Amino acid sequence: MAKVYGTGIYDFKRHRVAEYPPVELVLDDKPAEQRPGSNLPSTGITLTEIQRDRLTGIAAENWLKLGDDPDHPRQEFDPDLVKRIYETELSVPGGRKPVPLQRVMILEVSQYLENYLWPNFDEGTATFEHVMSMILMVNEKFRENVAAWICFYDRKDAFKGFLTRVLKLKDEGRTLSIIEKTNYLLFMINAFQSLEDEIVSETVLKLVSLQLWHSLSFGRFQMELCLNPHLIKKWKRMSKKEAKEAKKGELVDSSRILEVKFLRNLIEEFLEILDSKVICQKQSDHDDAKLDNIIEGVDEVSVLYCERFMEFLIDLLSQLPTRRFLKPVVSDAAVVAKCHLSTLYAHQKGRLFAQLVDLLQFYEGFEIDDHDGTQLSDDNVLLAHYSRLQAFQLLVFKQVPKLRDLALANIGSIHKRADLSKKLSVLSIEELKDLICNKLKLVSDEDPWAKRVDFLIEVIVSFFEKRQSQKEAINALPLYPNEQIMWDESVVPSINYSGEGCLALPKLNLQFLTLHDYLLRNFNLFRLESTYEIREDIQEAIPHLLAYINNEGETSFRGWSRMAVPIKGFKISQVKQPNIGEVKPSSVMADITFSISSYKAHIRSEWNALKEHDVLFLLSIRPSFEPLSSEEAAKLSVPERLGLQYVRGCEIIEIRDEEGVLMNDFTGRIKRDEWKPPKGEMRTITVALDTAQYHMDVSDIAEKGAEDVYKTFNILMRRKPKENNFKAILESIRDLMNETCIVPDWLHNIFLGYGNPSAAQWINMPDLLEKVDFKDTFLDADHLKESFLDFQISFVNPDGSEDLHPKPPFRIRLPKTLKGNTHALPGNKKSENDMGTADKISLQEELVVEPYVPADPGPYPQDKPKQNSVRFTSTQVGAIISGIQPGLTMVVGPPGTGKTDTAVQILNVLYHNCPSQRTLIITHSNQALNDLFEKIMERDVPARYLLRLGQGEQELATDLDFSRQGRVNAMLVRRLELLSEVERLARALQLPEDVGYTCETAGYFWLMHVYSRWEQFLAACSQNQEKPSFVKDRFPFQDFFTNTSHPVFTGESFEKDMRAARGCFRHLSTIFQELEECRAFELLKSTADRANYLMTKQAKIVAMTCTHAALKRKDFLQLGFKYDNLLMEESAQILEIETFIPMLLQRQEDGYARLKRCILIGDHHQLPPVVKNMAFQKYSHMDQSLFTRFVRLGIPYIELNAQGRARPNIAQLYNWRYRDLGDLPYVREEAIFKKANSGFTYEYQLVDVPDFHGRGESAPSPWFYQNEGEAEYVVSVYMYMRLLGYPANKISILTTYNGQKLLIRDVVNRRCMSSFIGPPSKITTVDKFQGQQNDFILLSLVRTRFVGHLRDVRRLVVAMSRARLGLYVFCRRSLFEQCYELQPTFQLLLQRPDRLSLNPDETGPYTERLVREKGNFFLVQDIQHMEYIVNSMIHQLLHRVQVMAHEKAPSHASTLKDLSSENQSVSLDEPMVNGENQHTGPTENISVDETKTELSEKGPPDETSVMEE
């Protein structure tokens, strides 16, 4: 059965990859040819130039693996070469760049680290340059977000030595430059971001242990031990241990130990640079001695170092293991206070630094108990603040007479910064220093900064002032972005983010301090990501309006924009009083009037489709009076170029037409039959403005005399509905932060990343299901035995006797071994060598299986339950067992392994074993949700218990309506059907028919007449079991069942008839049970009430997308929505926060969460969630899914291990990425997988595409990569396949870039649409095609200079796993074969010729040739050769068609029809559509055009048949 995987090296390979701007955009300002050792032009870098570069030559001679070429033996390791490369290639003379990025990229691509630096590293002999070079290479791997630590796993001990050398690097006597210090610091940041890697964490976590407190000042040390008395014993034990070690050798000063001094030294070094190196003072040449002529210059490199150091401290303080003992050290050094007082903090060039300092201050004062990880409530924080201030007042009352006013003041008058500073200003510097350093012990009196009054005031004020709570901060924050945040590059970076600098953004790490911390980071990132998307939409819409200043000096618009319309009128209509305890208004309403007269009908309909809760944006445009020249525009910011003054968001409350009639009302105020089309062209929208933003704006007007924003709006902008859900999701997160957020206790610690990773696994959970009814999971007894190979199976009847001929269904009593041993799950095959005695005994553990005969479901065909036909593998059975038990189940499903079938069976078994529980299904996409839902409908779960919420319901492939309204209607229709059945039953019993008037009367009828008769019948049967015909003669409802297809009773056997009688009664019971369920719909009169009852009470399985869950969370809470189980498909494609929200769609019960099971199904080896802004994706790790984080944390998971999608040979291209991925028997045995692809020698092949017209890749704009040669080649091969008769719907063309996708579509339109070829099933990107498949895939990899984002192994896995029967990859061989990350796949691809191999003898879509047989083949030389082949085939075909078309005889026409119908393009593995020929009637005259049309549908006729004709 299922292997359960947890911690281990394999799970934690980092495999994200950055796709940064083209390298020319991120190079140094200095021309490349002027930099040492550079031969590259500054305009960009091509593969040819890389190959000519001298670094590439050095690599080829010394470390590049070029195969076993005896003519090019690799030279011995040369430390001087490493030194020379470091000094000439890896050093930068100045500027803000820490490395010469282009040179580092070339070295990293050539595997300098893997093949030269690391194999030749020795801790004792490695030079400084050797260590620094390795640091730079690791940093570059992190920048590219590829697996950085993999190559070190082969020598773990040596790697520890390398880390030790890194930590001691600064003690080796060599002074590091600022740039080297920055790169060194970046390495430490990367190391502390990799705590899941044991080889890294073992070393770096020692730096943040309790030993660090040796570096505290004596006063701070005493204070910390007083605050944390539980650490006193630990400290004493540690001191004794150190004393013992000191006795063995020489006496060691504890402050000199590496673990003690490392971080403290880094902090001191940073403070020194911040104080003396950042601002360089230069004297002006014009006047020698005047002080006024001192010019302040900013050292860019030092600024970058300071920013990186802030990032380093933020990272350490935002994770509990690194925060616990470091925070007192940071406070002791007063890092935040010194940063606040530094020149850089207030300098224009220090804006990013200032934002990072504020973030550091936030995490330093975070509301958490650092030692037990408990989140502090607002009340706790407030009480701690008051007690701290009271203690301070008592101290100064006794010891500082000058502060008597402060000591006697009420707390409310001194807890603000300004008030406290004023009270302290009466002290002299000596008194202040004595108070802070000696009495309060906040800083050491030896600190050189202790002589500054401003520093001392800053320290004491920041310690005692009242801080704004997280809740207050989040509630005061506007949900809509404004113009200030939108174009702040340090917060919302542009698309040109290169990964070289840091940003003032939170990161999604492995661990979080508290749930509030988790929510806050996600809130900020989600808000900024949506801000970025809104900014892009504004920049797209505004230029089309062509704004100008008219003669009256007002803004007018010459152009028009689909998404933005000029405003005719704007008026604030209502401002409500603030709620108690708040300062912002409770609501602000406004009316906006605009005209849609200038739009065409289809765009008008889009504006008319606006509805309640849609989000719009109000813009204020004021262009410059004179048009800007291109030079002027280049110097201005984007808002200045656009003339954009202000941006404010709003939410629609209602929309009215020109006559004031309400439009698009879904609240029920207007009845559906009274709806009318909108009148006129003027529209008036009532909107709700953001109250927090409004309060800020009004305050600025009152206090600063700012312009009234709300009188300047002149543009209303809308966005696409699917992209405009951000406000509801942000509101959901904010609501969660304001609630007492209850995650189930069994999930809480794991969710935050702490504790035992296996704690939530089912084996460690209480309330397990002891006996499980597996229903139709097992197809037969052999299937069950195959699923539990490690157990001795005993089939036992209910009476305890052995069952010699067992048949499903089965009930299984799960043995203790299965529960107590994670490796005892089915499918875990251990080798004999690995097994101890206990393991061998466990193999003999008995598994008691109870076959049972299910009760007769009833006499009608619709009573028969739907049966599963999937033969689940032992691993899938293990996943099903885990899924139906309480706790967290994680299932990794590689491509084609039956994730959805497993999920459906979990739901099916769960429904039958826990019928009272409700399950929520969440997926990322509507398509996946519909696939899952359609399969559930095919199982034995009544349709009345299924509900599908959201927009994608109409795409379900079923006649039934599973929406809320559809289910309500179905229940009402079903009620009438059932009541008519009740009336028929009453007639059969010769009773009045009015018992079927309502569900209530039917219920009385059941009790009084039906159930009582059944009880009497059972009593009589118990006394007449010896009479074979007794049941037939006495069954009370026999007349009702006269309409069955076969007689219900035979009268031959009492037992058989009694079983049939029970089946009949079960049918009747179901009727009355359903009627009881319909009764609520009878009593509730409004549609809304019925729909809400259905969702909250009736439905047992509710399905929706993660977006719908986030949008409607507030509604679910108001309605009292409840569920016990959560199943999430595609969970590796869902953002962290969108996974978290569905766990909390219900209110807690008595302080406890109701959720019992959480089943996450996904594949972290495929692509992650989509995040559009690269900075959030790469710097903040926003594309990390909860599923991937759990895998990285070592939480046990089950990996499905048998694929049934692709040919085994094709599966080998990606199955190396998984632990043990094999093939189902189906793909090895079916004929379709054994036969070759007609016309192609190989079922998969890499095709090397040379330059086309002298060009490889091109990029008309950043990231818009195209490759004309590959596009033409791919389309030629597609045309070749169509001409052979391959169906278009079985071929998909994929590429790795949107630019190439559009180019291929253009080529297809030019070459295929005007002929009978037609388009393929899809032309799309690999990313968009995730989760889909097709028989034949033509894949274009585009790049010819750098590998780009295909270095992300997850993208490679998706690309290679989409094809079932044929995969043809078009790329530049010389580029991709050298890529380290892609080696396993490309080594397989390159075992075959790199020129396309075709079989000319095969002229139809089928061949009898087997896969491994090559047949008669030839190699295509190049793109032009392929085009020639295709054109020749087209000419031959058209010639034959024209000859046939001119034959007038009816026989010839019918023969042509027969020929073309015989050779129509049918699927290789499916019959024709509906199994019918689509032609109707004879064809007397066939024109060439008609023939082309016919061939486009059916493929060309077989050549030999035509010749015979």
Side-chain angles (χ1 to χ4, degrees), residues 213-278:
W213 282 13
H214 278 299
S215 65
L216 290 176
S217 63
F218 183 68
R220 171 70 69 167
F221 175 69
Q222 285 181 313
M223 183 169 75
E224 290 297 331
L225 284 185
C226 289
L227 291 172
N228 303 287
H230 63 281
L231 290 177
I232 295 173
K233 285 185 179 178
K234 189 174 180 182
W235 181 265
K236 286 179 178 176
R237 282 199 306 271
M238 190 182 76
S239 300
K240 283 181 183 176
K241 188 178 177 184
E242 288 174 0
K244 279 183 184 177
E245 289 173 359
K247 283 179 185 176
K248 293 175 185 174
E250 295 180 11
L251 192 63
V252 181
D253 180 4
S254 59
S255 65
R256 302 301 301 160
I257 301 171
L258 180 67
E259 285 83 357
V260 174
K261 65 177 184 173
F262 182 80
L263 286 175
R264 185 72 190 217
N265 286 355
L266 275 183
I267 290 172
E268 300 296 343
E269 182 181 72
F270 157 72
L271 292 172
E272 183 187 342
I273 290 170
L274 179 67
D275 194 34
S276 59
K277 299 278 181 71
V278 174

Side-chain angles (χ1 to χ4, degrees), residues 584-604:
K584 65 183 182 183
S586 55
S587 80
V588 181
M589 312 284 275
D591 292 330
I592 307 166
T593 308
F594 63 93
S595 170
I596 55 172
S597 58
S598 60
Y599 290 126
K600 292 183 179 177
H602 68 285
I603 301 179
R604 284 189 188 195

Side-chain angles (χ1 to χ4, degrees), residues 40-197:
L40 301 178
S42 58
T43 54
I45 180 168
T46 65
L47 181 66
T48 309
E49 288 161 347
I50 290 176
Q51 290 167 345
R52 290 179 192 157
D53 187 79
R54 74 191 197 102
L55 268 184
T56 310
I58 293 171
E61 290 175 14
N62 292 276
W63 65 80
L64 208 58
K65 291 182 179 176
L66 298 170
D68 300 323
D69 189 350
D71 298 332
H72 296 89
R74 283 198 280 168
Q75 297 183 9
E76 291 294 318
F77 175 70
D78 181 6
D80 291 335
L81 176 64
V82 175
K83 182 176 181 180
R84 199 162 61 248
I85 290 174
Y86 180 75
E87 291 175 347
T88 60
E89 306 288 349
L90 297 179
S91 301
V92 287
R96 193 175 164 83
K97 309 264 180 206
V99 289
L101 190 57
Q102 200 179 59
R103 317 304 289 158
V104 173
M105 288 172 74
I106 292 174
L107 284 169
E108 200 276 319
V109 166
S110 72
Q111 300 169 40
Y112 184 41
L113 174 66
E114 294 90 340
N115 294 346
Y116 200 63
L117 293 176
W118 175 237
N120 297 298
F121 174 81
D122 179 81
E123 183 184 358
T125 60
T127 62
F128 170 84
E129 290 80 11
H130 193 148
V131 177
M132 281 303 297
S133 298
M134 289 178 69
I135 284 174
L136 292 179
M137 291 299 108
V138 170
N139 288 350
E140 175 59 17
K141 284 187 178 294
F142 271 89
R143 192 190 77 87
E144 291 278 3
N145 266 336
V146 295
W149 309 112
I150 293 178
C151 66
F152 298 115
Y153 281 116
D154 57 347
R155 297 165 59 209
K156 289 187 180 181
D157 292 335
F159 180 66
K160 288 179 184 176
F162 165 65
L163 286 180
T164 306
R165 273 297 303 274
V166 170
L167 297 180
K168 293 179 178 176
L169 201 60
K170 294 190 176 185
D171 298 335
E172 293 182 358
R174 172 159 173 169
T175 305
L176 276 66
S177 67
I178 292 287
I179 289 175
E180 287 173 332
K181 288 176 180 176
T182 306
N183 290 322
Y184 183 88
L185 193 57
L186 183 55
F187 178 85
M188 295 309 301
I189 290 170
N190 293 332
F192 275 104
Q193 285 283 305
S194 307
L195 294 181
E196 77 276 19
D197 276 284

Side-chain angles (χ1 to χ4, degrees), residues 525-534 719 726 730:
L525 285 175
F526 197 91
R527 179 169 173 261
L528 295 173
E529 166 73 359
S530 55
T531 299
Y532 170 76
E533 294 175 11
I534 294 162
R719 299 177 70 221
F726 73 96
L730 289 175

Side-chain angles (χ1 to χ4, degrees), residues 372-397:
D372 63 15
T374 308
Q375 179 176 322
L376 303 178
S377 67
D378 287 353
D379 291 342
N380 291 338
V381 172
L382 202 58
L383 286 172
H385 166 69
Y386 288 152
S387 62
R388 193 162 56 234
L389 261 179
Q390 283 173 339
F392 176 52
Q393 285 180 302
L394 188 61
L395 173 76
V396 297
F397 181 81

Side-chain angles (χ1 to χ4, degrees), residues 325 807 1039 1125 1133:
F325 302 114
K807 291 182 180 178
D1039 292 346
N1125 313 305
Q1133 289 176 255

Side-chain angles (χ1 to χ4, degrees), residues 226-464:
C226 289
L227 291 172
N228 303 287
H230 63 281
L231 290 177
I232 295 173
K233 285 185 179 178
K234 189 174 180 182
W235 181 265
K236 286 179 178 176
R237 282 199 306 271
M238 190 182 76
S239 300
K240 283 181 183 176
K241 188 178 177 184
E242 288 174 0
K244 279 183 184 177
E245 289 173 359
K247 283 179 185 176
K248 293 175 185 174
E250 295 180 11
L251 192 63
V252 181
D253 180 4
S254 59
S255 65
R256 302 301 301 160
I257 301 171
L258 180 67
E259 285 83 357
V260 174
K261 65 177 184 173
F262 182 80
L263 286 175
R264 185 72 190 217
N265 286 355
L266 275 183
I267 290 172
E268 300 296 343
E269 182 181 72
F270 157 72
L271 292 172
E272 183 187 342
I273 290 170
L274 179 67
D275 194 34
S276 59
K277 299 278 181 71
V278 174
I279 306 296
C280 319
Q281 293 191 338
K282 301 175 186 174
Q283 195 161 316
S284 170
D285 296 332
H286 302 298
D287 201 337
D288 345 285
K290 285 189 181 175
L291 211 61
D292 297 341
N293 289 316
I294 299 293
I295 299 171
E296 286 190 350
V298 175
D299 182 11
E300 296 276 3
V301 178
S302 297
V303 173
L304 178 61
Y305 171 82
C306 292
E307 290 167 354
R308 282 291 186 194
F309 195 83
M310 287 295 99
E311 179 192 355
F312 177 58
L313 287 185
I314 290 165
D315 283 356
L316 293 181
L317 291 182
S318 60
Q319 296 190 95
L320 204 54
T322 53
R323 170 192 181 87
R324 190 170 279 130
F325 302 114
L326 176 68
K327 184 194 159 190
V329 178
V330 174
S331 302
D332 189 38
V335 173
V336 173
K338 290 172 183 175
C339 289
H340 275 142
L341 295 172
S342 66
T343 315
L344 181 61
Y345 186 83
H347 198 281
Q348 184 184 356
K349 291 282 183 76
R351 185 172 181 187
L352 173 58
F353 174 75
Q355 290 170 331
L356 287 162
V357 171
D358 294 343
L359 195 55
L360 176 65
Q361 184 179 25
F362 170 77
Y363 274 110
E364 188 186 10
F366 195 84
E367 300 158 1
I368 185 176
D369 184 313
D370 294 332
H371 294 278
D372 63 15
T374 308
Q375 179 176 322
L376 303 178
S377 67
D378 287 353
D379 291 342
N380 291 338
V381 172
L382 202 58
L383 286 172
H385 166 69
Y386 288 152
S387 62
R388 193 162 56 234
L389 261 179
Q390 283 173 339
F392 176 52
Q393 285 180 302
L394 188 61
L395 173 76
V396 297
F397 181 81
K398 290 179 179 177
Q399 300 186 22
V400 189
K402 278 189 177 182
L403 294 181
R404 188 61 55 87
D405 285 351
L406 186 150
L408 297 175
N410 68 71
I411 283 180
S413 66
I414 58 170
H415 69 187
K416 290 185 180 174
R417 173 172 280 266
D419 299 331
L420 199 52
S421 301
K422 188 176 178 182
K423 299 279 187 190
L424 292 167
S425 62
V426 298
L427 297 180
S428 67
I429 184 163
E430 289 77 16
E431 292 168 329
L432 201 56
K433 183 177 179 182
D434 179 60
L435 172 65
I436 293 168
C437 300
N438 299 330
K439 292 184 173 67
L440 294 174
K441 300 173 183 175
L442 294 179
V443 290
S444 169
D445 56 359
E446 296 173 6
D447 193 316
W449 284 65
K451 298 171 185 174
R452 291 175 53 173
V453 175
D454 58 348
F455 169 70
L456 294 171
I457 294 285
E458 177 65 28
V459 168
I460 193 169
V461 167
S462 58
F463 187 76
F464 287 112

Side-chain angles (χ1 to χ4, degrees), residues 24 81 101 104 117 204 309 323 371 466 523 717 720 726 739 839 902 911 933 997 1069 1218 1232 1238 1313 1465:
E24 58 265 31
L81 176 64
L101 190 57
V104 173
L117 293 176
V204 298
F309 195 83
R323 170 192 181 87
H371 294 278
K466 184 184 178 185
F523 179 88
M717 192 190 88
K720 293 176 183 174
F726 73 96
E739 296 169 10
D839 291 324
T902 306
Y911 165 75
F933 208 77
Y997 182 63
S1069 300
Y1218 299 92
I1232 186 176
S1238 180
M1313 302 306 285
S1465 300

